[in-house]
Amino acid sequence: MDLRIQQSVVANLSQRPAPVEVGPFVIGMDPTTTSPHINYATPRPGTTITAADVTALVAAFRAADRRPRLEYVTSCAPELEALLVAAGFSVEARHTYLTCAPGALRTPATLDRLSLCEPATDGQRAALISAQNEAFGGEPAASEADVAWLRRMQGAGGVSVMAVTDDGTCAGGGGASPPVGAVSEVAGIAVRLPYRRRGLAGAITAATTQRLFAAGVELAWLESSGEESGRVYERVGYRPAGQRLYIAVE
């Protein structure tokens, strides 16, 4: 499973607007945004990685005016973390990733006074991004580049789901990357503070995953940042499968 997930990450980054190959690494470069959560690298599993490869990777990030950053399944490159730390990288987070197959998905009961839908206009996309930004503690305003990125992601086969109240307020949402090899990552599950503790995160996760399976995806995966979010995902059918590392140069 670790290998399949890591291969899907490599393939997904390779489909970014301007991917960069650096030895055993792929950088998923997107010229429309400087976000380190979009412009990051990952190693190809099973390749030999040296300190010289890491130096070349950092140089490629600097040449593109982006912060050097990686995300990867740790078991697929067990020696890499030490090389990165020696080159000045610091660990941002260690996350458990969970997986779900079609037969395991459980759909929660319908929520009162809230509906789940896919944003179809740029106004709806901006409302979803603003809700996610707010939930994650960032600047609430959605930029034009963010909206354009979400529109492109949907057009490429990705999924986006927003939770809307009776008065039209976006309470939260989430999405999933365009599938590669029948595998897709669910991410950005967010609920604004006034709407938490109602089961909304689980409902968004299940609705996003259900849309993926309806489109033919065979395996959905996502990350848990802690026990609380892990329990939310497990209630709708996800199960822990492995570990991922986030690491970057400050």
Side-chain angles (χ1 to χ4, degrees), residues 102-130:
L105 181 65
R106 296 194 293 272
T107 304
T110 303
L111 300 172
D112 292 336
R113 308 181 68 83
L114 283 163
S115 60
L116 300 174
C117 62
E118 187 138 3
T121 67
D122 281 356
Q124 290 176 326
R125 294 182 183 102
L128 169 57
I129 293 167
S130 294

Side-chain angles (χ1 to χ4, degrees), residues 115-192:
S115 60
L116 300 174
C117 62
E118 187 138 3
T121 67
D122 281 356
Q124 290 176 326
R125 294 182 183 102
L128 169 57
I129 293 167
S130 294
Q132 290 173 308
N133 289 349
E134 179 183 324
F136 290 130
E139 287 293 329
S143 69
E144 292 183 7
D146 290 336
V147 172
W149 177 85
L150 180 54
R151 190 191 321 117
R152 287 197 306 273
M153 189 272 291
Q154 289 177 284
V159 170
S160 183
V161 171
M162 63 189 300
V164 183
T165 66
D166 286 348
D167 65 3
T169 301
C170 182
S177 61
V180 178
V183 178
S184 180
E185 179 188 6
V186 174
I189 304 298
V191 178
R192 294 175 58 216

Side-chain angles (χ1 to χ4, degrees), residues 26-242:
V26 176
I27 307 175
M29 206 74 75
D30 187 337
T32 66
T33 176
T34 59
S35 171
H37 302 291
I38 294 176
N39 296 275
Y40 63 88
T42 204
R44 294 187 180 278
T47 56
T48 299
I49 304 173
T50 67
D53 293 323
V54 172
T55 299
L57 178 67
V58 171
F61 271 105
R62 299 301 190 200
D65 196 25
R66 297 292 188 273
R67 180 159 69 100
R69 185 174 181 275
L70 295 91
E71 297 182 10
Y72 65 97
V73 178
T74 53
S75 70
C76 291
E79 310 300 326
L80 177 56
E81 182 179 346
L83 292 173
L84 294 170
V85 170
F89 284 73
S90 298
V91 173
E92 290 183 339
R94 300 181 193 275
H95 289 171
T96 297
Y97 78 82
L98 302 87
T99 62
C100 183
L105 181 65
R106 296 194 293 272
T107 304
T110 303
L111 300 172
D112 292 336
R113 308 181 68 83
L114 283 163
S115 60
L116 300 174
C117 62
E118 187 138 3
T121 67
D122 281 356
Q124 290 176 326
R125 294 182 183 102
L128 169 57
I129 293 167
S130 294
Q132 290 173 308
N133 289 349
E134 179 183 324
F136 290 130
E139 287 293 329
S143 69
E144 292 183 7
D146 290 336
V147 172
W149 177 85
L150 180 54
R151 190 191 321 117
R152 287 197 306 273
M153 189 272 291
Q154 289 177 284
V159 170
S160 183
V161 171
M162 63 189 300
V164 183
T165 66
D166 286 348
D167 65 3
T169 301
C170 182
S177 61
V180 178
V183 178
S184 180
E185 179 188 6
V186 174
I189 304 298
V191 178
R192 294 175 58 216
L193 188 59
Y195 304 97
R196 293 177 184 173
R197 305 297 179 183
R198 303 185 189 183
L200 187 52
I204 293 169
T205 302
T208 302
T209 308
Q210 189 173 44
R211 283 167 166 78
L212 289 174
F213 292 158
V217 168
E218 298 173 357
L219 182 70
W221 69 280
L222 48 67
E223 290 184 346
S224 166
S225 59
E227 291 185 5
E228 184 174 359
S229 61
R231 286 193 294 269
V232 170
Y233 302 141
E234 289 187 44
R235 281 196 289 269
V236 299
Y238 280 81
R239 293 294 177 266

